[in-house]
Amino acid sequence: MLLRMSTLFLRTLREDPVDAELPSHKLLVRAGYVRRVGPGLYSWLPLGMLAVRNVERVVREEMLAIGAQEVQFPALVPREVFERSRRWQDYGDALFRLRDRRDADYLLAPTHEELFTLLVKGEYTSYRDLPVSLFQIQTKYRDEARPRAGVLRGREFVMKDSYSFDVDDAGLERSYRAHRDAYERIFRRLGFDYRIVSAVSGAMGGSASEELIAPTPSGEDTFVQCENCDYAANAEAVVIAPPQARGGVVDGGGMGGGTGGAGSGGLPGPQQVLDTPDTPTIATLVERLNTMDLGRSFAAADTLKNLVVKTRAPGAGEWELLVIGVPGDRDVDMKRVAGQLEPTEVAPAGPEDLASQPGLVKGYIGPQRLAELGIRFVVDPLVTEGSAWVTGANEPDRHALDVVRGRDFVPDGELGAVEVRDGDRCARCGGMLQISRGIELGHVFQLGRKYAEVFDLRVTGPDGRPVTVTMGSYGVGITRAVAALAEQTHDELGLRWPREISPADVHLVATGKGEEPYTAGEQLAGELLGAGLRVLYDDRRGTSPGVKFGDSELLGVPLIVTVGRGLAKGVVEVRDRWSDERVEVPLAGAAGEIARLSAAQR
RNA sequence: CGGGGAGUGGCGCAGCGGUAGCGCACCUGCUUUGGGAGCAGGAGGUCGGGGGUUCGAAUCCCCCUUCCCCGACCA
């Protein structure tokens, strides 16, 4: 492949686009890889297209290598298909819906579980046909509430999605493993720094759902890693170790700071109700407590905050109230809560929900009488058995002190609800958890029988009886990978591609007076081509050297070869865009040497 | 959905009552050729849309609309 800059459809920009915030976004636009068309919509220009095709190629090769077979579904799907899986309703506003001339409803698919399931159902009927894995590389649509970060989170994007079909759990496990391994090979080949994090809560070390994340400060996914062991999880799926008993019980201390509770050993005295006027928030409460001359000081961590939410089980018509108790210095992570309660829906309780239950006094809710009110109550595991708290007294302007779990209230259960913090403890080994940000590159997921049941995908088993198929679902963001890689690998000069994704192996720059650089460049370009390299050749006349060098840095091809000044000595200069190392190579035989250097790059 | 901001040549911006300008990019000529060249000449805009005020509106007023950023949201 030989691309000539003189004819390449490319215009680089000297200035950053105003709407871009992230380096990857700025650079992909400046380097002429993409152009914005509308909110969350981008055109891919020739260089960008080459990068996208390269990601596709790597993904396709690795999918085929595990025996997955490629198919292609329409992006435009009739409503009925998504009605059956309920996603026409459940997917919400993020689903692009449209109507044809006959007023029939259609959608632009965000993923294709339904069609994959239906396809297999239509063709296969026996357990002997399984397992099978199918994939497609296709444009997906999501009407994001707020597209951002350029191509990283658009409303239209290219994604590889695949699905595995097995007769039993052991088979699913194997298919899952194969995909997970393939994903590791894909991201390694593409040159990513990536982490695999658990995306499922509860099941410690469970592998039912994992995300492959590219760590980068600007990423919009939050995940935690243990400093000590290899535990890593999405922030919404994290499991935090409960502290040693805190507050009054075992022996004072514990974690969570403050000197609250009973201090030294033994249960605190019976709970007492205090007048605490105008203290509807944790901050105001703590301030008030510390001026009350109670013989101890209090911190937010000594208070028990009770948040009211409402839940609705699938199919149930009515919302039910649920109170969640967490230490007062902690925020509740609603996504984490929702993840654990799924498929039951969760929503914050509004004023009208509270009004329906007069026993709940806003700002002064305590768990002491929730049971008698018939309201369900769960606590975060940080609220350990035997711990003592300051909490609401269920009366306006009053709080209760030394309220002990197990003595003064008994929750209906525990629910990890708290937002993770740096320094929280790993539930596996007790090590410190560290929070990082990253971009989700891929997701492997044991879907199970959800769609197989909805679409009645069954095959005849060995005993002649029908068996419901179990599925895995696996995705890789193709266009997102290009941007994520740019985000991870760029430097102050511009893009910097690993070889597998780069639009070319070598960026050949001809510069200098007269014809010599161009005749030599032309010949070298041909030789490089002959050596099997993909060449981007800057053959522009009348473009000053500074512009050419600047472009070569911006475009990000990993090896830059300059034909110019060195010709007097019979050499060309070869520069590694990654290390910035420069070597002079004799023009005679340069192609072979350059091919060798290129092959040595990552 | 909440908060902030912006719509003026391809891109980035200035102008804020007197009929549109700058930088980059582009075109022509000459010079220049190892770090975003110089000189000279040139092309390109119904100033987001509609209505109003005014002798006169990019500029003031009203309505509409689109877009961007932060947050909420995001299988």
Side-chain angles (χ1 to χ4, degrees), chain A residues 120 130 164-168 448-453 457-459 467-471:
Chain A
V120 172
L130 300 181
S164 63
F165 300 84
D166 283 276
V167 273
D168 55 27
R449 299 184 170 80
K450 178 178 169 190
Y451 286 87
E453 271 159 14
L457 171 58
R458 294 190 289 180
V459 292
V467 184
T468 300
V469 169
T470 182
M471 297 167 54

Side-chain angles (χ1 to χ4, degrees), chain A residues 136-311:
Chain A
Q136 65 170 345
I137 293 176
Q138 200 211 30
T139 306
K140 309 285 187 192
Y141 297 86
R142 281 179 211 180
D143 193 357
E144 296 280 355
R146 189 158 97 76
R148 69 186 86 177
V151 119
L152 264 182
R153 176 143 156 233
R155 295 196 294 171
E156 182 187 281
F157 55 94
V158 177
M159 176 169 157
K160 187 286 301 181
D161 55 331
S162 48
Y163 298 86
S164 63
F165 300 84
D166 283 276
V167 273
D168 55 27
D169 292 349
L172 172 56
E173 187 61 45
R174 278 191 298 275
S175 297
Y176 180 88
R177 196 74 217 174
H179 270 89
R180 189 185 194 271
D181 292 347
Y183 278 23
E184 290 217 63
R185 284 190 292 272
I186 288 167
F187 294 123
R188 222 177 296 129
R189 278 180 67 181
L190 290 175
F192 272 107
D193 171 22
Y194 68 92
R195 301 293 134 76
I196 301 184
V197 311
S198 168
V200 67
S201 47
M204 283 298 303
S207 59
S209 177
E210 291 169 291
E211 287 173 6
L212 287 94
I213 289 187
T216 164
S218 53
E220 46 180 15
D221 260 42
T222 306
F223 67 100
V224 301
Q225 286 171 279
C226 178
E227 287 184 346
N228 189 43
C229 71
D230 62 358
Y231 177 69
N234 190 298
E236 295 143 43
V238 71
V239 180
I240 305 171
Q244 299 89 312
R246 50 142 291 139
V249 90
V250 186
D251 90 320
M255 22 200 321
T259 54
S264 54
L267 279 178
Q271 58 168 307
Q272 32 176 321
V273 174
L274 307 170
D275 283 313
T276 54
D278 296 324
T279 52
T281 64
I282 297 292
T284 51
L285 171 62
V286 168
E287 201 183 326
R288 170 59 45 86
L289 288 171
N290 284 324
T291 57
M292 283 179 74
D293 205 18
L294 292 165
R296 34 181 156 144
S297 68
F298 295 86
D302 300 313
T303 68
L304 179 65
K305 179 161 72 178
N306 300 289
L307 183 82
V308 187
V309 300
K310 54 183 176 177
T311 66

Side-chain angles (χ1 to χ4, degrees), chain A residues 248-569:
Chain A
V249 90
V250 186
D251 90 320
M255 22 200 321
T259 54
S264 54
L267 279 178
Q271 58 168 307
Q272 32 176 321
V273 174
L274 307 170
D275 283 313
T276 54
D278 296 324
T279 52
T281 64
I282 297 292
T284 51
L285 171 62
V286 168
E287 201 183 326
R288 170 59 45 86
L289 288 171
N290 284 324
T291 57
M292 283 179 74
D293 205 18
L294 292 165
R296 34 181 156 144
S297 68
F298 295 86
D302 300 313
T303 68
L304 179 65
K305 179 161 72 178
N306 300 289
L307 183 82
V308 187
V309 300
K310 54 183 176 177
T311 66
R312 184 166 64 181
E318 293 295 298
W319 289 94
E320 260 189 280
L321 290 184
L322 171 69
V323 177
I324 302 174
V326 300
D329 61 329
R330 294 286 195 146
D331 287 325
V332 169
D333 183 338
M334 281 302 282
K335 286 196 267 187
R336 195 175 162 213
V337 169
Q340 291 171 86
L341 262 32
E342 215 175 13
T344 294
E345 294 174 80
V346 195
E352 65 286 351
D353 300 306
L354 290 176
S356 73
Q357 186 39 273
L360 295 178
V361 182
K362 184 167 161 42
Y364 301 92
I365 297 170
Q368 303 87 320
R369 51 189 295 252
L370 291 174
E372 76 188 63
L373 290 169
I375 299 173
R376 294 172 303 152
F377 178 62
V378 293
V379 292
D380 186 276
L382 294 180
V383 181
T384 52
E385 187 70 23
S387 56
W389 303 85
V390 179
T391 191
N394 296 302
E395 294 174 59
D397 296 329
R398 306 191 82 186
H399 279 89
L401 179 61
D402 293 333
V403 178
V404 176
R405 173 176 170 186
R407 182 186 75 182
D408 303 313
F409 69 92
V410 178
D412 299 312
E414 290 191 346
L415 180 75
V418 129
E419 200 171 273
V420 215
R421 279 203 304 227
D422 254 330
D424 278 342
R425 294 291 166 173
C426 172
R428 188 180 288 173
C429 76
M432 296 247 283
L433 294 177
Q434 203 175 33
I435 297 188
S436 314
R437 310 271 293 172
I439 300 164
E440 182 182 348
L441 299 171
H443 193 169
V444 289
F445 179 34
Q446 295 191 6
L447 237 190
R449 299 184 170 80
K450 178 178 169 190
Y451 286 87
E453 271 159 14
V454 169
F455 290 99
D456 201 25
L457 171 58
R458 294 190 289 180
V459 292
T460 307
D463 59 356
R465 295 171 174 280
V467 184
T468 300
V469 169
T470 182
M471 297 167 54
S473 148
Y474 319 91
V476 173
I478 302 285
T479 40
R480 172 178 280 190
V482 175
L485 203 44
E487 193 65 31
Q488 241 181 21
T489 63
H490 74 276
D491 66 6
E492 61 288 348
L493 297 173
L495 298 168
R496 218 161 35 154
W497 298 117
R499 217 156 67 92
E500 285 266 25
I501 190 178
S502 175
D505 297 310
V506 182
H507 187 138
L508 179 61
V509 176
T511 185
K513 281 192 267 260
E515 282 303 308
E516 306 92 292
Y518 295 93
T519 49
E522 198 69 37
Q523 198 191 334
L524 181 54
E527 288 168 13
L528 290 169
L529 218 51
L533 295 177
R534 300 168 300 152
V535 182
L536 174 60
Y537 175 33
D538 197 341
D539 59 343
R540 293 174 295 179
R541 310 294 180 106
T543 298
S544 66
V547 172
K548 290 185 176 180
F549 293 137
D551 280 349
S552 73
E553 285 147 354
L554 177 62
L555 297 183
V557 173
L559 213 54
I560 300 170
V561 176
T562 306
V563 181
R565 192 167 59 188
L567 282 178
K569 292 190 292 178

Side-chain angles (χ1 to χ4, degrees), chain A residues 115-127:
Chain A
L115 292 176
F116 275 97
T117 310
L118 284 167
L119 182 67
V120 172
K121 176 184 165 72
E123 310 300 319
Y124 277 5
T125 53
S126 162
Y127 78 97

